Amino acid sequence: MTTIFQDKEQFIDEYRLVVKAFTGKSFEEAGATDRYQALARLIAGHARDIASESFTESSRKHKKRVYYFSIEFLIGRLLDNYLLNFGIRDLVAEALADMGADLDELCELEPDPALGNGGLGRLAACFLDSMAHEGIAGYGNGMRYRYGLFKQEIVNGRQHEVADEWLSGGYPWEVRRQDRAVRIGFGGHVVTREKNGRQVYSVEGASEVLAVPYDIPVVGFGGKTVNKLRVWSAEPAEEHFDLETFNHGDYARADADRANAEAISAILYPNDQGEHGRLLRLKQEYLFVAAGISSLLRTYREEYGSDWAHLSDRVAIHTNDTHPAMCGPELMRVLLDEEGLEWDEAWEIVTKTVSFTNHTILPEALERWPIDTFSRLLPRIYQIIEEINRRWAESFDTAAEGWQEHFRNTAILWDGEVRMANLSVICSHSINGVAKLHTEILESTVLRDFYALTPKKFNNKTNGISPRRFLAEANPGYASLISSAIGTGWLDDASELERLLPFKQDAAFLEKVGATKLENKARLARYVKRETGLVIDPASIFDVQVKRFHAYKRQLLNVFKVIDLYQRLTTDPNTTIEPTTFIFSGKAASSYTFAKEVIRLINSVADVVNKDPRVNELIKVCFIPNFRVSNAQLIYPAAEISEQISTAGKEASGTSNMKLMMNGALTLGTLDGANIEIVDLAGRENEGIFGLTKPEVQELKDKGNYLAWDLLNDDPERLGRVVGSLTDGTFSKLSGGFESIRNEVMINNDPDLVLLDFHSYVDAFEKLNHDWANRTLWNRRALHNTAMSGWFSSDRTIREYRDEIWGA
Ligand code: 26V
């Protein structure tokens, strides 16, 4: 453990100095926000000192550097996490207490940067954590959005989107690196010249913007390695402030250049249909790719000169989904146009350096750009893509049967569009999925023609999560109970959690497992009360579904279950249930009408159920607004049931399933994504598995004879009544009825098979629910889940990437 303060006294001395230097006030005079800012700056300063040591050390050892390109990094708050990783959390908490301050209160003042949509962005952040922990010289390369994902407010049950101004109070972790700014060109046209008997290409007439990097330190657990996350902000390349226009009163036009450039990094796009074809999004993608490539090549040049042939021995470029797909063409451009390499030479370097992870098989999520938009914005990149595509076509054996079909499925340019997934695959030496089933589906369907050609390029890397952030930091009570039993080695090596298994027989220990859960539930209940006014009972079961709202994730199935229980409890005296609180949280993309209606339905059901004295001692429905990393850390530790109920085959992996398992929740889920690995590890008897499997869903689709009406007609008592309640006024008091949801299920024939899985789902829920009555057995299964969750540490995932993809 590297320690940055010898003792409390040293910390207090340094801290007082920083408060004074930063605010001009004494610690006693400074307010809470100033105290937080100064503390974060103090820690950030130490982190940067170690970062420069880590960098020098990597140079000295000629370590391979890994650049993780991702358009999203959902890093969460850093102060508490870095204190933990430096091993000084207790020291700082005590010192602050001595000074009359409270660490937890200061931590709460940190903004929670929402620079990601959900799982993909959070995965990138967990990978940074694990790369630093594993001592890999691994760097994030991403975007610094002025506004992160919108803040969600709920008004009359409806989601409202509010701008997320996370930078307004200043962000103490970042440093602006003006000295490393890069000029990025858009538009213009390609000019060809002859130079020494060779064609040389350049772009003329492009308009340029300046990409300015901001560096955020990434502290690895143990504090030995500190890496960097570099995020790029767009600014005007030249100050073109038009004083004359300004003096004529046209203020906006006077500063138009600035506004146009800054627009590029203004907002994070939500992942909905709307993002496709938006020029600004394409500019974002090229900006962070081109700036990142330029910056990593600069570092390489400083260390190894222009020895491009060995680039792939020293550098790995990983592309997180297709958003950084231009890494391949951009690296080609630099090697060809700026470094003067021949095509074949450059192409070999590119394909040995770049690797790619796919994160979804949903066809509507596969990125494509209209060729005319693309080629106008990035003429030289487009030209290079055309040549890659031409050579790809040429590589087929035209005597082989069916080659045309293989080409059609793998072409980059097709039907007037640039297909970013095919571009990513062709530029990469490795293609991976994010869970076992997902990789199998990629190989057998979405990317099957590529798989047939180069099966060895394909591999699986099941996702993981940081046990520091999601167990140690989020759940301190449980973490210290665990450490009291097996020591603290699990923080370094999460597979040590298996050493908890013998404690399954220890009744007193199991009771403590239950007691920490109860404390976490009380903590969450206080948060819910504060945020929404709703009172929830920590003595009830906390059944939790928290994730983005999407049809395939089937929050609708969950709320159908709640409606069914409500109707049975109010009409059938034989219905029994352990008191349960159904907790939902998550955002819907702003243009995704169906998902937003499901949010409104949940809140409308909550409004009715929670007010109904016949049931509200038994069931409660709770929607927690504005799901984000910081409140997720309160929710996971409080959960007993983890809802992972996607239509089989649709959820690539999921990661909340892992976070909840690690915190001792039992999975109520389908055999989808990484739920399959959860069952493999912890045993089906320790979870609640239900529903159609992926092959069964496939068979049904192939047969094509599923009819939602059949299910409804067969079961008027329950399914019929649930669907009927959407439009009969039962839940319409808050803000109207739910015709559109009914239509999706009945007229659109239930595309996500909610009705089909309904009964097996409710049965599996009721089984788990009744199991809760025997608390010893329950706590044993909870502990078993935690004990077997170590494999889901992102440290394990990252070691696999290192050994099997990056060779770092
Ligand atoms: C994107 C879009 C864009 C347009 C329309 C609808 C739609 C739906 C989903 C997406 C998500 C794209 C990629 C993504 O975030 N995948 C998630 O990656 C996680 C980390 O690997 C994984 O755990 C989730 O299962 C997967 O959905």
Side-chain angles (χ1 to χ4, degrees):
M1 188 65 87
T2 305
T3 163
I4 55 175
F5 304 114
Q6 294 309 320
D7 50 31
K8 266 199 305 194
E9 285 63 42
Q10 192 204 345
F11 164 76
I12 292 174
D13 290 347
E14 283 192 29
Y15 183 33
R16 284 185 177 283
L17 286 175
V18 177
V19 174
K20 185 81 196 176
F22 173 64
T23 68
K25 298 174 202 159
S26 71
F27 176 80
E28 282 68 27
E29 291 163 340
T33 307
D34 282 343
R35 289 174 174 185
Y36 158 71
Q37 286 275 346
L39 181 55
R41 272 160 215 275
L42 171 63
I43 303 302
H46 281 282
R48 277 193 287 274
D49 289 344
I50 302 177
S52 90
E53 288 167 24
S54 297
F55 186 87
T56 312
E57 164 103 344
S58 315
S59 294
R60 201 173 51 76
K61 293 188 173 162
H62 299 300
K63 271 197 192 174
K64 189 164 184 175
R65 299 192 192 278
V66 176
Y67 295 91
Y68 197 84
F69 278 66
S70 177
I71 205 161
E72 304 187 357
F73 285 93
L74 254 183
I75 55 181
R77 289 178 177 151
L78 300 180
L79 180 56
D80 200 38
N81 193 253
Y82 288 178
L83 294 177
L84 184 104
N85 286 356
F86 274 132
I88 54 171
R89 204 192 174 282
D90 293 344
L91 180 148
V92 170
E94 280 171 31
L96 287 176
D98 292 353
M99 299 167 87
D102 181 66
L103 176 60
D104 291 336
E105 267 171 36
L106 296 192
C107 288
E108 285 282 306
L109 295 171
E110 178 163 343
D112 180 354
L115 308 185
N117 272 284
L120 173 142
R122 182 55 231 175
L123 184 78
C126 283
F127 282 3
L128 294 181
D129 175 311
S130 287
M131 288 195 284
H133 174 253
E134 295 297 318
I136 296 170
Y139 312 97
N141 186 74
M143 282 295 287
R144 180 180 181 270
Y145 304 105
R146 173 147 165 232
Y147 300 102
L149 190 66
F150 64 84
K151 182 167 159 240
Q152 179 193 55
E153 287 175 2
I154 303 294
V155 182
N156 288 333
R158 277 201 178 86
Q159 166 178 299
H160 284 244
E161 299 95 25
V162 180
D164 165 51
E165 297 194 17
W166 68 288
L167 286 167
S168 57
Y171 188 60
W173 299 101
E174 65 180 11
V175 271
R176 180 180 167 93
R177 294 296 306 271
Q178 185 87 40
D179 57 319
R180 290 286 194 264
V182 179
R183 296 172 85 96
I184 306 293
F186 293 108
H189 57 274
V190 179
V191 265
T192 318
R193 282 175 297 123
E194 273 247 343
K195 199 178 156 191
N196 307 332
R198 193 173 169 272
Q199 301 274 45
V200 183
Y201 302 87
S202 60
V203 176
E204 278 179 8
S207 51
E208 292 192 323
V209 301
L210 197 66
V212 182
Y214 287 72
D215 287 348
I216 299 167
V218 178
V219 177
F221 180 72
K224 286 203 280 287
T225 301
V226 177
N227 288 327
K228 265 188 298 207
L229 164 60
R230 175 161 279 188
V231 286
W232 298 91
S233 178
E235 298 184 9
E238 265 91 27
E239 278 300 341
H240 266 319
F241 188 74
D242 186 342
L243 202 57
E244 199 170 275
T245 312
F246 187 85
N247 287 337
H248 281 97
D250 196 345
Y251 310 128
R253 205 154 62 82
D255 218 6
D257 277 351
R258 170 162 296 273
N260 283 330
E262 286 178 351
I264 297 175
S265 54
I267 60 149
L268 163 78
Y269 280 103
N271 51 17
D272 55 23
Q273 277 83 348
E275 88 184 28
H276 296 308
R278 284 201 200 158
L279 196 63
L280 263 186
R281 170 73 173 195
L282 192 59
K283 286 187 181 176
Q284 291 185 339
E285 293 185 356
Y286 184 63
L287 183 108
F288 93 104
V289 162
I293 295 281
S294 159
S295 145
L296 72 88
L297 290 180
R298 174 182 176 138
T299 301
Y300 180 81
R301 218 181 266 116
E302 282 164 7
E303 296 189 295
Y304 304 104
S306 294
D307 181 17
W308 302 117
H310 291 102
L311 185 73
S312 69
D313 299 335
R314 305 295 184 207
V315 170
I317 295 173
H318 197 85
T319 56
N320 194 30
D321 218 298
T322 56
H323 323 123
M326 281 181 271
C327 277
E330 173 63 11
L331 186 52
M332 282 302 283
R333 188 191 67 77
V334 176
L335 294 177
L336 296 169
D337 299 356
E338 293 176 11
E339 300 299 328
L341 269 62
E342 296 299 327
W343 183 280
D344 291 329
E345 223 183 331
W347 182 245
E348 183 171 331
I349 294 166
V350 166
T351 50
K352 277 160 79 178
T353 307
V354 177
S355 48
F356 164 60
T357 301
N358 169 285
H359 293 267
T360 181
I361 60 149
L362 298 186
E364 69 271 29
L366 288 183
E367 218 186 340
R368 305 162 198 277
W369 291 98
I371 284 179
D372 55 345
T373 311
F374 195 107
S375 59
R376 237 178 292 137
L377 185 70
L378 301 163
R380 178 61 181 142
I381 294 298
Y382 179 71
Q383 202 179 45
I384 290 171
I385 290 175
E386 253 190 354
E387 179 61 10
I388 296 172
N389 191 57
R390 191 190 65 76
R391 287 171 182 249
W392 178 255
E394 213 177 56
S395 73
F396 282 84
D397 173 4
T398 52
E401 167 135 29
W403 81 271
Q404 294 93 335
E405 199 206 330
H406 295 309
F407 175 65
R408 171 159 47 82
N409 294 335
T410 58
I412 303 169
L413 302 175
W414 196 264
D415 239 356
E417 292 181 319
V418 186
R419 304 199 294 202
M420 302 300 261
N422 289 358
L423 175 63
S424 295
V425 171
I426 290 172
C427 292
S428 299
H429 64 88
S430 167
I431 300 111
N432 73 281
V434 292
K436 206 167 67 182
L437 175 66
H438 170 61
T439 300
E440 282 166 20
I441 295 174
L442 283 181
E443 292 172 350
S444 62
T445 62
V446 190
L447 300 177
R448 66 170 176 277
D449 297 276
F450 285 115
Y451 182 67
L453 288 165
T454 50
K456 289 213 175 80
K457 280 195 187 180
F458 284 75
N459 60 93
N460 174 246
K461 296 287 166 280
T462 300
N463 282 166
I465 58 166
S466 164
R468 272 81 56 180
R469 180 172 291 270
F470 289 106
L471 184 52
E473 185 193 333
N475 198 342
Y478 196 33
S480 69
L481 178 66
I482 291 169
S483 298
S484 74
I486 62 170
T488 55
W490 61 273
L491 286 156
D492 256 315
D493 174 4
S495 72
E496 286 197 16
L497 288 171
E498 275 190 48
R499 293 172 50 206
L500 288 168
L501 290 175
F503 292 86
K504 286 169 64 185
Q505 310 313 324
D506 181 336
F509 191 84
L510 292 179
E511 218 160 280
K512 288 186 198 152
V513 169
T516 61
K517 184 62 78 181
L518 189 62
E519 276 170 30
N520 294 334
K521 289 159 73 180
R523 180 177 69 161
L524 181 62
R526 288 194 296 276
Y527 175 81
V528 168
K529 176 85 207 312
R530 205 167 60 233
E531 294 293 314
T532 70
L534 181 70
V535 175
I536 58 175
D537 182 4
S540 62
I541 301 176
F542 279 15
D543 172 302
V544 170
Q545 185 173 22
V546 289
K547 49 183 83 252
R548 282 301 284 261
F549 272 77
H550 202 291
Y552 81 81
K553 294 178 190 280
R554 298 201 291 191
Q555 283 92 352
L556 184 63
L557 176 59
N558 192 344
V559 69
F560 274 13
K561 170 194 69 186
V562 177
I563 295 173
D564 175 55
L565 283 167
Y566 173 61
Q567 291 170 331
R568 283 155 61 208
L569 285 168
T570 50
T571 54
D572 175 2
N574 295 320
T575 310
T576 61
I577 182 170
E578 298 287 332
T580 305
T581 304
F582 299 96
I583 295 173
F584 296 84
S585 196
K587 296 174 184 174
S590 47
S591 70
Y592 193 170
T593 314
F594 176 76
K596 289 175 103 170
E597 280 298 273
V598 175
I599 290 179
R600 194 171 67 84
L601 175 61
I602 292 167
N603 284 306
S604 300
V605 171
D607 185 57
V608 171
V609 169
N610 298 349
K611 284 181 186 154
D612 190 332
R614 294 172 300 171
V615 297
N616 65 9
E617 302 278 294
L618 282 175
I619 56 173
K620 273 234 165 98
V621 183
C622 167
F623 186 95
I624 302 178
N626 202 25
F627 187 55
R628 59 197 187 282
V629 179
S630 49
N631 64 11
Q633 290 178 209
L634 296 174
I635 299 171
Y636 300 130
E640 270 127 352
I641 295 180
S642 160
E643 299 264 358
Q644 306 299 338
I645 59 178
S646 50
T647 320
K650 296 229 174 148
E651 188 70 274
S653 162
T655 44
S656 76
N657 45 3
M658 304 168 187
K659 293 161 194 165
L660 286 156
M661 177 198 194
M662 200 172 268
N663 281 283
L666 276 54
T667 301
L668 173 56
T670 48
L671 287 175
D672 196 19
N675 297 353
I676 293 179
E677 282 99 321
I678 289 180
V679 172
D680 288 348
L681 284 159
R684 207 175 167 121
E685 67 285 4
N686 289 303
E687 318 297 344
I689 299 303
F690 71 93
L692 259 57
T693 61
K694 161 75 192 168
E696 287 163 351
V697 170
Q698 194 59 52
E699 197 189 312
L700 199 77
K701 292 262 140 86
D702 293 344
K703 281 197 188 138
N705 58 358
Y706 173 60
L707 201 56
W709 280 111
D710 284 343
L711 295 186
L712 209 72
N713 293 336
D714 286 350
D715 182 22
E717 306 271 281
R718 286 178 58 190
L719 263 184
R721 198 165 51 162
V722 168
V723 173
S725 76
L726 297 172
T727 50
D728 69 2
T730 314
F731 301 115
S732 59
K733 227 173 91 194
L734 194 62
S735 50
F738 296 91
E739 286 73 15
S740 69
I741 294 183
R742 185 187 170 281
N743 286 347
E744 186 63 10
V745 175
M746 300 317 304
I747 313 294
N748 213 9
N749 202 34
D750 188 19
D752 280 289
L753 310 178
V754 168
L755 302 189
L756 196 57
D757 275 343
F758 176 79
H759 280 286
S760 72
Y761 172 55
V762 179
D763 291 349
F765 167 77
E766 291 190 289
K767 167 105 187 31
L768 276 189
N769 182 278
H770 291 127
D771 287 351
W772 203 61
N774 187 333
R775 214 55 55 79
T776 308
L777 282 182
W778 184 276
N779 291 336
R780 183 172 291 152
R781 287 160 83 186
L783 184 64
H784 181 84
N785 269 283
T786 302
M788 301 313 291
S789 70
W791 188 78
F792 289 115
S793 166
S794 45
D795 298 345
R796 184 272 311 155
T797 314
I798 278 300
R799 287 193 299 267
E800 292 180 6
Y801 275 87
R802 179 195 63 195
D803 296 342
E804 296 162 27
I805 300 178
W806 303 328

